[in-house]
Amino acid sequence: MTLSANPNQAAAPLPGPGEASALEKRVRNALTQRHHAGSAPILLMAHLVLGYPSLDENRRVIDAMVANGVDLIELQIPFSEPIADGPVIAMANQAALDRGFRVAEGLGFLGEVVRQHPIPFLLMTYFNILHAHGVEAFIRETKVLGGDGLIVPDLPLEEAGPARTLCQDVGVDWIQLMTPTTPEARLAAIGAAARGFCYCVARKGVTGRQTEFDNTIDGFLDRCRSVTGVPLALGFGVKSAKDVQNLVGKADIAVVGTAAMEVHRTGGVFAVGRFFADLRT
Amino acid sequence: MSQGYHGAFGGAFIPEILHETFRRLTVAYETARADPAFWASYLQLMENYSGRPTPLTLADNLSREFGGRRVYIKREDLNQTGAHKANNVMGQGLLVKRMGKRRVIAETGAGQHGVATATMAARMGLECVIYMGAEDVERQRPNVFWMEQLGARVVPVTSGSRTLKDAINEALRDWVGSMDDTHYLLGTACGAHPFPEMVAWFQSIIGEEARRQILTQAGTLPTHVYACVGGGSNALGIFQAFLNDPDVALVGVEAGGEGLASGRHAARLAGDGVVGVAHGYKTFFLQNADGQMRDTHSVAAGLDYVGVSPILAHLHAQGRVRFAAATDSEVVSALKHLMRAEGIIPALESSHAVAQALKELPELPADAVVIINLSGRGDKDIFTVADALDDPGWRHFIRSKAENYARRDEHNQIFQGKESGQ
């Protein structure tokens, strides 16, 4: 048996850094506004799993997040096989599906919250959701509904060619991931293709585990910064005001996922709002 | 540079954090594959430890029953730990040593791969953690018992549908955080590149032997080769040696469960699988219109998997391998048939291949030469089979055993109470 070439490889070469995308401009504007308002020049990006525990509760949580200083929101469309997620988010994925969550509802929800809130919204999901929906249709709908970007953790650079080209064509940013294990040459390739911002994964392991905010992270962010001009988001394990403070001047966006979900689970919507407000103090 | 495609299937759809780990594994595998000394050491280990070559048994009574059509059985059930799984784990074990890692993790459905991995880890001095769906832990308690006795830690996975696919997700999550010193010992020819190719390579030992043996014993190539298909490793193992023999019909048998119309089955290629991407690779998966994986069902836990090897998906697309599905009831009948006819106890998984062969044999040409790949032995399935046969003697045995345990527990509690002065 012989191995044949990747059929996805025929994709057109991606454009270089060029002009900043709409999402990148929104991120930079938000950073400037934070600066002028006298707060720390770092944005907060929240993550939530659509349909967990319900879309109604998602609405209330988003209201609380926006009212308490969240600058971007990543909406996860649940998938039955969330291999890059830790137990808390994986459980939320399954719970949403058990309650009958459908992808069309998630897309409808994106359109709704984009109309209601002036911040960027991104969709995060796994590639099979796009594949089953039709990759092109999914990306075009994301754009029409007002989504700013897509995060697909199981679609690495080698496999993403056609999807990234489509994103580029319709004006939705394909958010690249950089990790501490990514070698230099590969980091450079990812950095060169990055649009909107780069999602830097703070450490090995899935979401929701302890991260030590030490010099290793600083060094990693320096490496990321050296290969791309787009803003940097740092995620995985950010859960306190101290963590966020530590990232000021190093990253542009702090991503808070599992910690906020735990707060919501134990304290409800009000607690989530207070949690994000406290992250900025 | 993307690798590992077989037609439209395969690839490596992995989180970025694992990219370097997969790259290093690919290099280790390709280097080993190009090194004849590695394969020689593998063959030696399999001969000295696993009892290879396994026999190719002429099933005399079945052959007579089917009018002189010759039926041969490739005896992977006679491997160390009772299944073809040994071929893969010992091969990957040698690679783990070569890569200098000290820990292995694995996922298991029926438990056979877990037992095989725990056995290899014990022999090679590696720490071993086995992820297993909580549902499968219940169904396959004897295998859990053996894994633990062999020194492995068995982690029941309670997420999702609590079966093999959830165990795979959990093992991947472990690996994402532990790849520096840990190898994920995937049990079948699925997953991201290079796993399908690597597992198929180690399993090719089955077909290489079977081809030599049938030529010696029957003086001809087989006309038909039957193998069950969960992930597809035993099927690929035997099929590979005959891929370039167009007159040899290759038949993969999936789990028909309660029937394809019932929706409760695991027939991806013979049933209603749809191309998708999950668990790191592109293949046919049982999924709904949104792309969510469906729950699967089979009387055989080892065939209860939602995807199928991308190499088999390609051979299916090419028409080189024909796929069929055997139902749970056909499988239990086939198991009884083989036991009574030949004194061989097949695993429920392997009984799928037997069932399809028995179904087709009456229609085959009179000079047909059939090989059934018997991937594993059936004693592990004693609880499931006894349930399926509703055996009264077995029920009585389990009841009295339970009563004995209850009496012993009660006695111990009283004794401990006296000891502590209560």
Side-chain angles (χ1 to χ4, degrees):
Chain A
M1 287 174 295
T2 54
L3 304 180
S4 56
N6 175 4
N8 298 339
Q9 265 184 327
L14 284 161
E19 197 196 341
S21 71
L23 174 59
E24 184 179 338
K25 286 176 186 163
R26 294 186 78 179
V27 167
R28 293 199 184 283
N29 285 341
L31 280 166
T32 306
Q33 281 170 20
R34 288 274 170 217
H35 182 66
H36 289 327
S39 67
I42 190 162
L43 306 183
L44 295 178
M45 180 161 93
H47 170 279
L48 54 87
V49 176
L50 292 177
Y52 177 75
S54 67
L55 287 176
D56 272 346
E57 187 74 353
N58 289 153
R59 282 184 190 97
R60 286 191 282 274
V61 169
I62 290 171
D63 288 345
M65 286 172 166
V66 177
N68 286 282
V70 167
D71 304 281
L72 304 93
I73 296 181
E74 181 189 352
L75 303 172
Q76 179 165 3
I77 294 185
F79 181 43
S80 55
E81 321 297 312
I83 56 173
D85 284 302
V88 171
I89 294 178
M91 183 278 294
N93 274 252
Q94 190 61 43
L97 293 174
D98 289 346
R99 297 181 68 149
F101 176 87
R102 299 301 308 266
V103 172
E105 276 183 295
L107 292 171
F109 187 85
L110 168 68
E112 179 191 321
V113 291
V114 162
R115 286 193 297 276
Q116 286 171 355
H117 299 286
I119 63 167
F121 283 88
L122 295 96
L123 287 178
M124 178 267 178
T125 193
Y126 290 84
F127 184 58
N128 203 48
I129 298 296
L130 278 73
H131 190 266
H133 193 85
V135 175
E136 182 171 354
F138 191 96
I139 291 169
R140 287 193 188 284
E141 281 181 52
T142 302
K143 176 64 182 178
V144 168
L145 293 166
D148 284 279
L150 276 173
I151 303 172
V152 185
D154 64 342
L155 199 63
L157 204 58
E158 291 76 6
E159 304 285 0
R164 286 170 48 223
T165 306
L166 271 165
C167 279
Q168 182 81 30
D169 291 347
V170 304
V172 170
D173 283 350
W174 189 271
I175 304 301
Q176 303 280 340
L177 273 77
M178 292 177 165
T179 77
T181 61
T182 310
E184 299 307 325
R186 184 174 170 79
L187 207 62
I190 293 172
R195 303 280 295 169
F197 63 84
C198 257
Y199 192 129
C200 304
V201 176
R203 55 162 167 72
K204 297 168 192 170
V206 291
T207 53
R209 289 188 189 148
Q210 186 72 31
T211 297
E212 296 296 330
F213 285 86
D214 55 17
N215 294 339
T216 321
I217 287 192
D218 297 355
F220 167 54
L221 285 170
D222 285 346
R223 284 175 58 212
C224 297
R225 188 76 76 187
S226 71
V227 295
T228 187
V230 301
L232 298 182
L234 184 107
F236 281 48
V238 181
K239 60 183 185 324
S240 68
K242 192 173 159 226
D243 295 341
V244 174
Q245 198 57 41
N246 270 334
L247 292 173
V248 172
K250 300 166 192 166
D252 304 292
I253 304 168
V255 188
V256 185
T258 305
M261 286 183 71
E262 289 284 22
V263 169
H264 177 241
R265 191 175 60 80
T266 54
V269 173
F270 180 75
V272 176
R274 201 174 52 198
F275 171 75
F276 277 103
D278 289 349
L279 283 182
R280 285 211 171 274
T281 58
Chain B
M1 181 190 69
S2 184
Q3 290 181 299
Y5 271 88
H6 305 270
F9 309 103
F13 295 82
I14 48 174
E16 178 61 31
I17 193 89
L18 279 173
H19 185 273
E20 183 61 10
T21 304
F22 269 84
R23 191 193 65 76
R24 287 182 191 169
L25 176 63
T26 304
V27 169
Y29 154 64
E30 284 174 352
T31 311
R33 189 163 181 154
D35 176 4
F38 180 83
W39 190 256
S41 68
Y42 170 65
L43 285 182
Q44 193 178 33
L45 179 65
M46 295 314 290
E47 282 175 23
N48 295 337
Y49 185 68
S50 196
R52 300 209 72 94
T54 58
L56 182 74
T57 302
L58 174 63
D60 278 317
N61 298 323
L62 280 183
S63 298
R64 264 194 299 280
E65 183 184 334
F66 289 101
R69 297 168 177 90
R70 282 174 287 174
V71 180
Y72 290 85
I73 299 178
K74 179 60 175 166
R75 304 295 304 281
E76 290 304 295
D77 58 315
L78 296 181
N79 264 297
Q80 164 77 352
T81 72
H84 73 293
K85 297 288 182 187
N87 307 329
N88 173 43
V89 296
M90 298 314 287
Q92 287 196 48
L94 289 176
L95 260 187
V96 171
K97 298 297 270 186
R98 236 171 122 104
M99 289 187 289
K101 296 190 172 185
R102 59 158 197 91
R103 177 176 179 262
V104 289
I105 54 174
E107 90 304 321
T108 191
Q112 286 298 94
H113 173 57
V115 171
T117 303
T119 305
M120 180 281 291
R123 173 158 171 109
M124 298 200 183
L126 301 167
E127 186 187 331
C128 180
V129 175
I130 306 290
Y131 291 95
M132 193 167 182
E135 188 94 2
D136 292 332
V137 168
E138 293 306 313
R139 288 199 285 191
Q140 300 288 340
R141 175 54 63 178
N143 276 337
V144 173
F145 172 81
W146 284 124
M147 283 182 256
E148 289 174 346
Q149 300 309 311
L150 286 159
R153 187 161 67 87
V154 179
V155 180
V157 177
T158 54
S159 58
S161 58
R162 302 152 57 95
T163 59
L164 180 60
K165 73 178 184 65
D166 308 295
I168 291 173
N169 291 330
E170 207 56 40
L172 274 167
R173 287 186 195 115
D174 179 320
W175 207 24
V176 165
S178 67
M179 64 276 217
D180 286 345
D181 67 349
T182 298
H183 175 66
Y184 177 15
L185 208 156
L186 202 74
T188 192
C190 291
H193 174 72
F195 279 109
E197 298 78 12
M198 184 168 68
V199 175
W201 181 47
F202 290 127
Q203 295 293 1
S204 68
I205 195 168
I206 305 173
E208 294 303 321
E209 280 177 16
R211 197 172 199 283
R212 277 197 305 274
Q213 289 166 321
I214 197 82
L215 286 171
T216 304
Q217 293 183 40
T220 178
L221 285 172
T223 54
H224 296 76
V225 180
Y226 295 88
C228 66
V229 179
S233 68
N234 89 89
L236 272 170
I238 196 159
F239 289 167
Q240 283 174 91
F242 302 103
L243 285 178
N244 297 325
D245 302 308
D247 293 338
V248 180
L250 305 173
V251 186
V253 190
E254 297 181 294
E258 294 174 7
L260 297 188
S262 73
R264 283 178 51 76
H265 61 81
R268 295 109 337 152
L269 297 172
D272 49 354
V274 175
V275 176
V277 174
H279 301 161
Y281 68 115
K282 184 187 255 190
T283 191
F284 284 84
F285 288 98
L286 289 172
Q287 53 183 311
N288 69 16
D290 270 357
Q292 311 291 356
M293 298 301 134
R294 285 162 40 187
D295 289 344
T296 52
H297 166 79
S298 170
V299 69
L303 300 190
D304 198 354
Y305 177 53
V306 72
V308 65
S309 173
I311 308 174
L312 283 177
H314 179 50
L315 292 169
H316 167 70
Q318 285 184 315
R320 180 64 191 96
V321 177
R322 170 163 61 88
F323 286 86
T327 63
D328 290 348
S329 59
E330 288 170 336
V331 163
V332 173
S333 301
L335 182 145
K336 283 162 69 177
H337 197 142
L338 185 63
M339 285 195 294
R340 294 292 171 93
E342 299 290 343
I344 293 171
I345 307 174
L348 280 164
E349 286 78 3
S350 319
S351 300
H352 285 69
V354 179
Q356 191 62 28
L358 293 180
K359 215 186 299 184
E360 294 185 9
L361 267 162
E363 310 299 328
L364 298 186
D367 60 350
V369 176
V370 167
I371 299 180
I372 301 169
N373 193 26
L374 205 77
S375 57
R377 70 177 187 229
D379 44 359
K380 73 179 171 64
D381 297 319
I382 189 163
F383 288 87
T384 314
V385 173
D387 275 355
L389 302 181
D390 200 21
D391 184 81
W394 180 259
R395 278 209 310 276
H396 173 75
F397 164 70
I398 294 294
R399 232 185 346 257
S400 60
K401 199 82 186 156
E403 284 163 6
N404 273 341
Y405 281 128
R407 267 199 301 277
R408 201 193 302 172
D409 288 348
E410 199 179 337
H411 171 83
N412 287 344
Q413 276 165 11
I414 292 166
F415 184 72
Q416 280 163 7
K418 278 181 183 165
E419 286 277 291
S420 62
Q422 289 172 347

